[in-house]
Amino acid sequence: MKKIALTFLALICFFIAAPVKAQSAESIWITASTNSFKTGETLIVTVNGASASPIQGLTFQIKFDPACLQPVNAASPISGMNGLSLPQITGLVDASFASTTPQVANGVLAEVRFITLGACQTNVTLESAALVIKNESGFAAPLPGVALGEKTIALAVSAEKGSSQDAPLLGTPLPLGTEPDPAASSPVSTGTTVMFAVIGILLLAGIVILIRILRGENTRG
């Protein structure tokens, strides 16, 4: 009788503890469309997530070998989640998406497309990732306690020629590239122009004042 009571007590504890553990599991991980490719084919890396809390954004960085892969674009299938254009660094996809309203984050959060460039053995790695919420003050903040699941995917690309896939993106495409962003470089150019203009005005004003001082001294003389 004592053993039966202990067994029932253990089962009760298990069923009480199990749901709590499931609810606290917040994570992000990546998967690939496949692990073997030909040169010129499309690699789709999917960013997946699970969260009990609605989110209003996500951000992630995926490291890759630029000699093997060329990033093309990224997109999120979540309705209302829009991509934010960011300057890109060679060998690193840096993508962020945001929504004005809370969204459910369970399943596919985003996908990134690459073109394979040539025969190689390579990896893609989820360097960092975060889910974004609106805190009590109304500001964007990372959701705490989010774990990174599968972070590295091994890929094999053969020298055999293949063709890129034209499968439709689930969402508005966010272009990815290493070219300088004109919008980002514009403020620098404008600021430099304004600085030189201010310096020129000050020099001109100084010359005018100097001329007046000299004229005044000549008049008194």
Side-chain angles (χ1 to χ4, degrees), residues 3-64:
K3 289 184 178 179
I4 295 175
L6 290 174
T7 302
F8 275 111
L9 181 60
L11 288 173
I12 291 171
C13 292
F14 173 80
F15 284 111
I16 291 175
V20 174
K21 184 177 180 181
Q23 290 176 1
S24 61
E26 314 251 348
S27 59
I28 302 175
W29 68 97
I30 59 172
T31 56
S33 49
T34 184
N35 295 92
S36 300
F37 295 88
K38 299 176 183 178
T39 298
E41 289 187 330
T42 302
L43 159 66
I44 300 177
V45 176
T46 303
V47 180
N48 309 280
S51 173
S53 304
I55 65 171
Q56 289 193 237
L58 68 141
T59 180
F60 58 86
Q61 292 181 323
I62 296 178
K63 186 178 180 180
F64 65 95

Short mmCIF file of all heavy atoms in Angstrom, two decimals, residues 3-64:
data_model
loop_
_atom_site.label_atom_id
_atom_site.label_comp_id
_atom_site.label_asym_id
_atom_site.label_seq_id
_atom_site.Cartn_x
_atom_site.Cartn_y
_atom_site.Cartn_z
N LYS A 3 3.86 1.53 -1.26
CA LYS A 3 4.48 1.68 -2.60
C LYS A 3 3.49 2.32 -3.58
O LYS A 3 3.85 3.13 -4.41
CB LYS A 3 4.94 0.31 -3.11
CG LYS A 3 6.15 -0.24 -2.36
CD LYS A 3 6.61 -1.54 -3.00
CE LYS A 3 7.86 -2.09 -2.29
NZ LYS A 3 8.31 -3.36 -2.88
N ILE A 4 2.21 1.89 -3.50
CA ILE A 4 1.19 2.46 -4.40
C ILE A 4 1.03 3.96 -4.14
O ILE A 4 0.93 4.77 -5.06
CB ILE A 4 -0.15 1.72 -4.21
CG1 ILE A 4 -0.01 0.25 -4.64
CG2 ILE A 4 -1.26 2.40 -5.00
CD1 ILE A 4 -1.24 -0.59 -4.38
N ALA A 5 1.01 4.32 -2.88
CA ALA A 5 0.87 5.73 -2.53
C ALA A 5 2.03 6.55 -3.04
O ALA A 5 1.87 7.65 -3.57
CB ALA A 5 0.75 5.86 -1.01
N LEU A 6 3.24 6.01 -2.90
CA LEU A 6 4.44 6.71 -3.40
C LEU A 6 4.40 6.84 -4.92
O LEU A 6 4.82 7.85 -5.48
CB LEU A 6 5.69 5.96 -2.96
CG LEU A 6 6.01 6.03 -1.45
CD1 LEU A 6 7.20 5.12 -1.11
CD2 LEU A 6 6.32 7.47 -1.05
N THR A 7 3.90 5.78 -5.60
CA THR A 7 3.81 5.82 -7.07
C THR A 7 2.85 6.92 -7.52
O THR A 7 3.15 7.70 -8.43
CB THR A 7 3.33 4.47 -7.61
OG1 THR A 7 4.25 3.46 -7.19
CG2 THR A 7 3.26 4.48 -9.13
N PHE A 8 1.67 7.00 -6.88
CA PHE A 8 0.71 8.03 -7.22
C PHE A 8 1.27 9.42 -6.95
O PHE A 8 1.06 10.36 -7.71
CB PHE A 8 -0.60 7.83 -6.44
CG PHE A 8 -1.55 6.88 -7.09
CD1 PHE A 8 -1.81 5.64 -6.52
CD2 PHE A 8 -2.17 7.20 -8.29
CE1 PHE A 8 -2.67 4.76 -7.13
CE2 PHE A 8 -3.04 6.30 -8.91
CZ PHE A 8 -3.29 5.08 -8.33
N LEU A 9 2.01 9.57 -5.86
CA LEU A 9 2.62 10.86 -5.51
C LEU A 9 3.64 11.28 -6.56
O LEU A 9 3.70 12.45 -6.98
CB LEU A 9 3.28 10.76 -4.14
CG LEU A 9 3.94 12.04 -3.62
CD1 LEU A 9 2.89 13.16 -3.49
CD2 LEU A 9 4.61 11.80 -2.28
N ALA A 10 4.44 10.30 -7.06
CA ALA A 10 5.43 10.59 -8.09
C ALA A 10 4.76 11.01 -9.39
O ALA A 10 5.21 11.94 -10.08
CB ALA A 10 6.31 9.37 -8.32
N LEU A 11 3.66 10.34 -9.76
CA LEU A 11 2.94 10.69 -10.99
C LEU A 11 2.33 12.09 -10.89
O LEU A 11 2.35 12.86 -11.85
CB LEU A 11 1.83 9.66 -11.26
CG LEU A 11 2.30 8.27 -11.73
CD1 LEU A 11 1.12 7.31 -11.78
CD2 LEU A 11 2.98 8.36 -13.09
N ILE A 12 1.78 12.41 -9.71
CA ILE A 12 1.19 13.75 -9.52
C ILE A 12 2.25 14.82 -9.68
O ILE A 12 2.06 15.84 -10.35
CB ILE A 12 0.52 13.84 -8.15
CG1 ILE A 12 -0.74 12.95 -8.11
CG2 ILE A 12 0.14 15.28 -7.82
CD1 ILE A 12 -1.35 12.80 -6.74
N CYS A 13 3.42 14.59 -9.07
CA CYS A 13 4.52 15.55 -9.19
C CYS A 13 4.97 15.70 -10.63
O CYS A 13 5.28 16.80 -11.10
CB CYS A 13 5.71 15.11 -8.32
SG CYS A 13 5.36 15.22 -6.55
N PHE A 14 5.00 14.61 -11.39
CA PHE A 14 5.43 14.65 -12.79
C PHE A 14 4.49 15.50 -13.63
O PHE A 14 4.90 16.36 -14.40
CB PHE A 14 5.51 13.23 -13.36
CG PHE A 14 5.79 13.18 -14.84
CD1 PHE A 14 7.08 13.35 -15.32
CD2 PHE A 14 4.76 13.02 -15.76
CE1 PHE A 14 7.35 13.33 -16.67
CE2 PHE A 14 5.02 13.00 -17.11
CZ PHE A 14 6.31 13.15 -17.57
N PHE A 15 3.18 15.27 -13.48
CA PHE A 15 2.21 15.99 -14.31
C PHE A 15 2.09 17.46 -13.91
O PHE A 15 1.67 18.29 -14.70
CB PHE A 15 0.83 15.31 -14.24
CG PHE A 15 0.76 14.05 -15.05
CD1 PHE A 15 0.65 12.81 -14.43
CD2 PHE A 15 0.83 14.11 -16.44
CE1 PHE A 15 0.59 11.66 -15.19
CE2 PHE A 15 0.77 12.95 -17.20
CZ PHE A 15 0.65 11.71 -16.58
N ILE A 16 2.44 17.77 -12.66
CA ILE A 16 2.45 19.17 -12.26
C ILE A 16 3.67 19.88 -12.83
O ILE A 16 3.59 21.00 -13.32
CB ILE A 16 2.45 19.29 -10.72
CG1 ILE A 16 1.09 18.84 -10.17
CG2 ILE A 16 2.74 20.72 -10.28
CD1 ILE A 16 1.01 18.80 -8.65
N ALA A 17 4.82 19.21 -12.81
CA ALA A 17 6.07 19.83 -13.25
C ALA A 17 6.18 19.90 -14.76
O ALA A 17 6.73 20.85 -15.31
CB ALA A 17 7.26 19.06 -12.68
N ALA A 18 5.64 18.93 -15.49
CA ALA A 18 5.83 18.86 -16.95
C ALA A 18 5.27 20.07 -17.67
O ALA A 18 5.95 20.66 -18.51
CB ALA A 18 5.21 17.57 -17.49
N PRO A 19 4.02 20.52 -17.41
CA PRO A 19 3.51 21.70 -18.13
C PRO A 19 4.33 22.95 -17.85
O PRO A 19 4.52 23.77 -18.73
CB PRO A 19 2.08 21.84 -17.59
CG PRO A 19 1.72 20.50 -17.06
CD PRO A 19 3.00 19.93 -16.53
N VAL A 20 4.82 23.13 -16.65
CA VAL A 20 5.62 24.31 -16.33
C VAL A 20 6.88 24.34 -17.16
O VAL A 20 7.28 25.37 -17.71
CB VAL A 20 5.98 24.29 -14.81
CG1 VAL A 20 6.94 25.42 -14.49
CG2 VAL A 20 4.70 24.39 -13.98
N LYS A 21 7.52 23.20 -17.34
CA LYS A 21 8.73 23.12 -18.15
C LYS A 21 8.45 23.45 -19.60
O LYS A 21 9.19 24.15 -20.26
CB LYS A 21 9.35 21.73 -18.02
CG LYS A 21 10.67 21.60 -18.75
CD LYS A 21 11.27 20.22 -18.54
CE LYS A 21 12.60 20.10 -19.26
NZ LYS A 21 13.20 18.75 -19.09
N ALA A 22 7.31 22.96 -20.13
CA ALA A 22 6.97 23.20 -21.53
C ALA A 22 6.69 24.68 -21.78
O ALA A 22 7.07 25.22 -22.79
CB ALA A 22 5.76 22.35 -21.92
N GLN A 23 6.02 25.34 -20.84
CA GLN A 23 5.67 26.74 -21.03
C GLN A 23 6.89 27.65 -20.99
O GLN A 23 6.89 28.71 -21.56
CB GLN A 23 4.67 27.15 -19.95
CG GLN A 23 3.30 26.51 -20.12
CD GLN A 23 2.37 26.85 -18.99
OE1 GLN A 23 2.74 27.58 -18.08
NE2 GLN A 23 1.16 26.32 -19.03
N SER A 24 7.95 27.23 -20.25
CA SER A 24 9.11 28.09 -20.11
C SER A 24 10.13 27.90 -21.23
O SER A 24 11.16 28.55 -21.22
CB SER A 24 9.78 27.83 -18.75
OG SER A 24 10.22 26.48 -18.69
N ALA A 25 9.86 26.96 -22.14
CA ALA A 25 10.81 26.69 -23.23
C ALA A 25 10.64 27.73 -24.32
O ALA A 25 9.73 27.65 -25.14
CB ALA A 25 10.59 25.28 -23.78
N GLU A 26 11.53 28.72 -24.35
CA GLU A 26 11.56 29.76 -25.39
C GLU A 26 12.87 29.59 -26.13
O GLU A 26 13.95 29.65 -25.52
CB GLU A 26 11.48 31.16 -24.77
CG GLU A 26 10.43 31.31 -23.69
CD GLU A 26 9.25 32.17 -24.13
OE1 GLU A 26 9.37 32.80 -25.18
OE2 GLU A 26 8.24 32.17 -23.43
N SER A 27 12.80 29.39 -27.44
CA SER A 27 14.04 29.09 -28.16
C SER A 27 13.98 29.54 -29.62
O SER A 27 12.90 29.79 -30.16
CB SER A 27 14.34 27.58 -28.11
OG SER A 27 13.28 26.84 -28.68
N ILE A 28 15.17 29.64 -30.22
CA ILE A 28 15.34 29.95 -31.64
C ILE A 28 16.36 28.98 -32.20
O ILE A 28 17.38 28.71 -31.56
CB ILE A 28 15.84 31.40 -31.84
CG1 ILE A 28 14.87 32.41 -31.21
CG2 ILE A 28 16.01 31.71 -33.32
CD1 ILE A 28 15.36 33.84 -31.26
N TRP A 29 16.10 28.46 -33.40
CA TRP A 29 17.05 27.55 -34.03
C TRP A 29 16.93 27.66 -35.54
O TRP A 29 15.98 28.25 -36.06
CB TRP A 29 16.80 26.11 -33.56
CG TRP A 29 15.51 25.50 -34.02
CD1 TRP A 29 15.30 24.68 -35.10
CD2 TRP A 29 14.21 25.68 -33.42
NE1 TRP A 29 13.98 24.34 -35.20
CE2 TRP A 29 13.30 24.92 -34.19
CE3 TRP A 29 13.74 26.40 -32.31
CZ2 TRP A 29 11.94 24.88 -33.88
CZ3 TRP A 29 12.39 26.35 -32.01
CH2 TRP A 29 11.50 25.59 -32.79
N ILE A 30 17.92 27.12 -36.26
CA ILE A 30 17.91 27.18 -37.72
C ILE A 30 17.87 25.78 -38.33
O ILE A 30 18.36 24.81 -37.73
CB ILE A 30 19.12 27.97 -38.28
CG1 ILE A 30 20.44 27.32 -37.84
CG2 ILE A 30 19.05 29.42 -37.87
CD1 ILE A 30 21.68 27.94 -38.50
N THR A 31 17.31 25.70 -39.53
CA THR A 31 17.31 24.48 -40.33
C THR A 31 17.62 24.86 -41.78
O THR A 31 17.51 26.04 -42.15
CB THR A 31 15.95 23.76 -40.27
OG1 THR A 31 14.91 24.67 -40.67
CG2 THR A 31 15.66 23.26 -38.87
N ALA A 32 18.01 23.89 -42.57
CA ALA A 32 18.31 24.13 -43.99
C ALA A 32 17.39 23.29 -44.86
O ALA A 32 16.91 22.23 -44.44
CB ALA A 32 19.77 23.81 -44.30
N SER A 33 17.15 23.77 -46.09
CA SER A 33 16.28 23.05 -47.01
C SER A 33 16.83 21.66 -47.32
O SER A 33 16.08 20.71 -47.49
CB SER A 33 16.10 23.86 -48.30
OG SER A 33 17.36 24.28 -48.81
N THR A 34 18.14 21.54 -47.40
CA THR A 34 18.84 20.27 -47.55
C THR A 34 20.31 20.51 -47.22
O THR A 34 20.70 21.66 -46.99
CB THR A 34 18.68 19.70 -48.98
OG1 THR A 34 19.30 18.41 -49.04
CG2 THR A 34 19.32 20.61 -50.01
N ASN A 35 21.10 19.45 -47.18
CA ASN A 35 22.51 19.60 -46.81
C ASN A 35 23.46 19.43 -47.98
O ASN A 35 24.66 19.66 -47.85
CB ASN A 35 22.88 18.60 -45.71
CG ASN A 35 22.14 18.87 -44.41
OD1 ASN A 35 21.08 18.32 -44.18
ND2 ASN A 35 22.70 19.72 -43.57
N SER A 36 22.95 19.02 -49.14
CA SER A 36 23.79 18.80 -50.32
C SER A 36 23.27 19.64 -51.49
O SER A 36 22.07 19.64 -51.78
CB SER A 36 23.79 17.32 -50.71
OG SER A 36 24.30 16.53 -49.65
N PHE A 37 24.20 20.34 -52.16
CA PHE A 37 23.83 21.25 -53.24
C PHE A 37 24.79 21.12 -54.41
O PHE A 37 25.93 20.64 -54.26
CB PHE A 37 23.85 22.70 -52.74
CG PHE A 37 22.83 23.00 -51.68
CD1 PHE A 37 23.13 22.80 -50.35
CD2 PHE A 37 21.58 23.47 -52.02
CE1 PHE A 37 22.19 23.06 -49.37
CE2 PHE A 37 20.63 23.73 -51.05
CZ PHE A 37 20.93 23.54 -49.71
N LYS A 38 24.32 21.61 -55.56
CA LYS A 38 25.17 21.82 -56.72
C LYS A 38 25.52 23.31 -56.79
O LYS A 38 24.87 24.13 -56.15
CB LYS A 38 24.45 21.39 -58.00
CG LYS A 38 24.06 19.92 -58.04
CD LYS A 38 23.26 19.60 -59.30
CE LYS A 38 22.79 18.16 -59.33
NZ LYS A 38 21.97 17.87 -60.54
N THR A 39 26.50 23.63 -57.58
CA THR A 39 26.88 25.03 -57.74
C THR A 39 25.78 25.81 -58.46
O THR A 39 25.26 25.37 -59.49
CB THR A 39 28.19 25.15 -58.54
OG1 THR A 39 29.24 24.50 -57.80
CG2 THR A 39 28.58 26.60 -58.76
N GLY A 40 25.40 26.95 -57.90
CA GLY A 40 24.36 27.78 -58.51
C GLY A 40 22.97 27.51 -57.99
O GLY A 40 22.02 28.17 -58.43
N GLU A 41 22.83 26.59 -57.05
CA GLU A 41 21.51 26.31 -56.50
C GLU A 41 21.21 27.24 -55.32
O GLU A 41 22.07 27.94 -54.81
CB GLU A 41 21.42 24.84 -56.07
CG GLU A 41 21.39 23.87 -57.23
CD GLU A 41 21.13 22.45 -56.81
OE1 GLU A 41 21.52 22.08 -55.68
OE2 GLU A 41 20.55 21.70 -57.62
N THR A 42 19.94 27.20 -54.89
CA THR A 42 19.48 28.06 -53.81
C THR A 42 19.44 27.31 -52.49
O THR A 42 18.80 26.26 -52.39
CB THR A 42 18.09 28.62 -54.12
OG1 THR A 42 18.12 29.34 -55.36
CG2 THR A 42 17.62 29.57 -53.01
N LEU A 43 20.13 27.86 -51.51
CA LEU A 43 20.06 27.34 -50.14
C LEU A 43 19.09 28.21 -49.35
O LEU A 43 19.21 29.44 -49.35
CB LEU A 43 21.45 27.40 -49.49
CG LEU A 43 21.51 27.38 -47.96
CD1 LEU A 43 21.00 26.05 -47.41
CD2 LEU A 43 22.92 27.68 -47.47
N ILE A 44 18.14 27.58 -48.70
CA ILE A 44 17.18 28.30 -47.86
C ILE A 44 17.44 27.92 -46.41
O ILE A 44 17.29 26.75 -46.03
CB ILE A 44 15.73 27.98 -48.24
CG1 ILE A 44 15.45 28.38 -49.69
CG2 ILE A 44 14.77 28.71 -47.31
CD1 ILE A 44 14.05 28.03 -50.17
N VAL A 45 17.87 28.89 -45.62
CA VAL A 45 18.06 28.69 -44.18
C VAL A 45 16.84 29.27 -43.47
O VAL A 45 16.51 30.44 -43.64
CB VAL A 45 19.35 29.38 -43.69
CG1 VAL A 45 19.47 29.25 -42.17
CG2 VAL A 45 20.57 28.77 -44.36
N THR A 46 16.17 28.42 -42.71
CA THR A 46 14.96 28.83 -42.00
C THR A 46 15.27 29.11 -40.54
O THR A 46 15.92 28.31 -39.87
CB THR A 46 13.88 27.73 -42.09
OG1 THR A 46 13.62 27.44 -43.47
CG2 THR A 46 12.60 28.18 -41.42
N VAL A 47 14.82 30.27 -40.07
CA VAL A 47 14.96 30.64 -38.66
C VAL A 47 13.64 30.31 -37.99
O VAL A 47 12.59 30.86 -38.33
CB VAL A 47 15.29 32.14 -38.50
CG1 VAL A 47 15.43 32.49 -37.03
CG2 VAL A 47 16.57 32.48 -39.26
N ASN A 48 13.70 29.39 -37.03
CA ASN A 48 12.50 28.92 -36.34
C ASN A 48 12.51 29.41 -34.89
O ASN A 48 13.57 29.64 -34.30
CB ASN A 48 12.44 27.40 -36.35
CG ASN A 48 12.61 26.83 -37.75
OD1 ASN A 48 11.68 26.81 -38.53
ND2 ASN A 48 13.81 26.38 -38.06
N GLY A 49 11.32 29.54 -34.31
CA GLY A 49 11.24 29.98 -32.93
C GLY A 49 10.02 29.45 -32.23
O GLY A 49 9.03 29.05 -32.86
N ALA A 50 10.10 29.41 -30.91
CA ALA A 50 8.97 29.01 -30.07
C ALA A 50 8.93 29.94 -28.88
O ALA A 50 9.92 30.10 -28.17
CB ALA A 50 9.12 27.56 -29.63
N SER A 51 7.78 30.56 -28.67
CA SER A 51 7.64 31.50 -27.56
C SER A 51 6.20 31.50 -27.06
O SER A 51 5.26 31.53 -27.86
CB SER A 51 8.04 32.91 -28.00
OG SER A 51 7.75 33.84 -26.98
N ALA A 52 6.05 31.46 -25.76
CA ALA A 52 4.72 31.53 -25.17
C ALA A 52 4.19 32.96 -25.18
O ALA A 52 2.99 33.20 -25.07
CB ALA A 52 4.75 31.01 -23.73
N SER A 53 5.10 33.92 -25.35
CA SER A 53 4.72 35.34 -25.36
C SER A 53 4.67 35.87 -26.79
O SER A 53 5.56 35.57 -27.59
CB SER A 53 5.72 36.17 -24.55
OG SER A 53 5.83 35.69 -23.24
N PRO A 54 3.67 36.66 -27.15
CA PRO A 54 3.66 37.31 -28.47
C PRO A 54 4.86 38.26 -28.58
O PRO A 54 5.30 38.84 -27.60
CB PRO A 54 2.34 38.09 -28.47
CG PRO A 54 1.50 37.42 -27.43
CD PRO A 54 2.45 36.95 -26.38
N ILE A 55 5.38 38.38 -29.78
CA ILE A 55 6.55 39.23 -30.01
C ILE A 55 6.19 40.36 -30.98
O ILE A 55 5.19 40.29 -31.69
CB ILE A 55 7.74 38.42 -30.57
CG1 ILE A 55 7.40 37.87 -31.98
CG2 ILE A 55 8.13 37.31 -29.63
CD1 ILE A 55 8.59 37.25 -32.70
N GLN A 56 7.04 41.38 -31.00
CA GLN A 56 6.86 42.47 -31.95
C GLN A 56 8.10 42.68 -32.80
O GLN A 56 8.23 43.70 -33.47
CB GLN A 56 6.47 43.75 -31.22
CG GLN A 56 5.06 43.68 -30.69
CD GLN A 56 4.50 45.01 -30.23
OE1 GLN A 56 4.10 45.16 -29.08
NE2 GLN A 56 4.44 45.98 -31.14
N GLY A 57 9.00 41.69 -32.78
CA GLY A 57 10.17 41.77 -33.63
C GLY A 57 11.13 40.63 -33.36
O GLY A 57 10.98 39.89 -32.37
N LEU A 58 12.08 40.47 -34.24
CA LEU A 58 13.15 39.51 -34.06
C LEU A 58 14.39 40.01 -34.79
O LEU A 58 14.30 40.79 -35.74
CB LEU A 58 12.78 38.12 -34.58
CG LEU A 58 12.62 37.97 -36.09
CD1 LEU A 58 13.17 36.64 -36.57
CD2 LEU A 58 11.13 38.05 -36.47
N THR A 59 15.53 39.58 -34.31
CA THR A 59 16.79 39.94 -34.93
C THR A 59 17.71 38.74 -34.87
O THR A 59 17.67 37.97 -33.90
CB THR A 59 17.42 41.17 -34.24
OG1 THR A 59 18.65 41.49 -34.88
CG2 THR A 59 17.66 40.92 -32.77
N PHE A 60 18.53 38.57 -35.91
CA PHE A 60 19.45 37.43 -35.92
C PHE A 60 20.64 37.73 -36.82
O PHE A 60 20.57 38.57 -37.73
CB PHE A 60 18.75 36.14 -36.37
CG PHE A 60 18.12 36.22 -37.73
CD1 PHE A 60 18.85 35.95 -38.88
CD2 PHE A 60 16.78 36.55 -37.87
CE1 PHE A 60 18.27 36.02 -40.14
CE2 PHE A 60 16.18 36.62 -39.13
CZ PHE A 60 16.93 36.35 -40.26
N GLN A 61 21.73 37.03 -36.56
CA GLN A 61 22.94 37.09 -37.38
C GLN A 61 23.34 35.67 -37.75
O GLN A 61 23.43 34.81 -36.87
CB GLN A 61 24.08 37.78 -36.63
CG GLN A 61 23.86 39.26 -36.39
CD GLN A 61 25.03 39.91 -35.68
OE1 GLN A 61 25.65 39.32 -34.82
NE2 GLN A 61 25.35 41.14 -36.06
N ILE A 62 23.58 35.44 -39.04
CA ILE A 62 23.99 34.14 -39.54
C ILE A 62 25.35 34.27 -40.21
O ILE A 62 25.50 35.06 -41.15
CB ILE A 62 22.96 33.55 -40.52
CG1 ILE A 62 21.64 33.29 -39.79
CG2 ILE A 62 23.48 32.27 -41.17
CD1 ILE A 62 20.54 32.76 -40.67
N LYS A 63 26.32 33.53 -39.73
CA LYS A 63 27.68 33.57 -40.27
C LYS A 63 27.81 32.54 -41.40
O LYS A 63 27.30 31.43 -41.29
CB LYS A 63 28.69 33.26 -39.16
CG LYS A 63 30.14 33.41 -39.57
CD LYS A 63 31.07 33.13 -38.40
CE LYS A 63 32.53 33.27 -38.79
NZ LYS A 63 33.41 32.98 -37.62
N PHE A 64 28.49 32.94 -42.48
CA PHE A 64 28.67 32.05 -43.63
C PHE A 64 30.01 32.33 -44.29
O PHE A 64 30.65 33.36 -44.03
CB PHE A 64 27.53 32.23 -44.64
CG PHE A 64 27.50 33.60 -45.27
CD1 PHE A 64 28.11 33.83 -46.50
CD2 PHE A 64 26.89 34.67 -44.64
CE1 PHE A 64 28.11 35.09 -47.09
CE2 PHE A 64 26.88 35.94 -45.22
CZ PHE A 64 27.50 36.14 -46.44
#
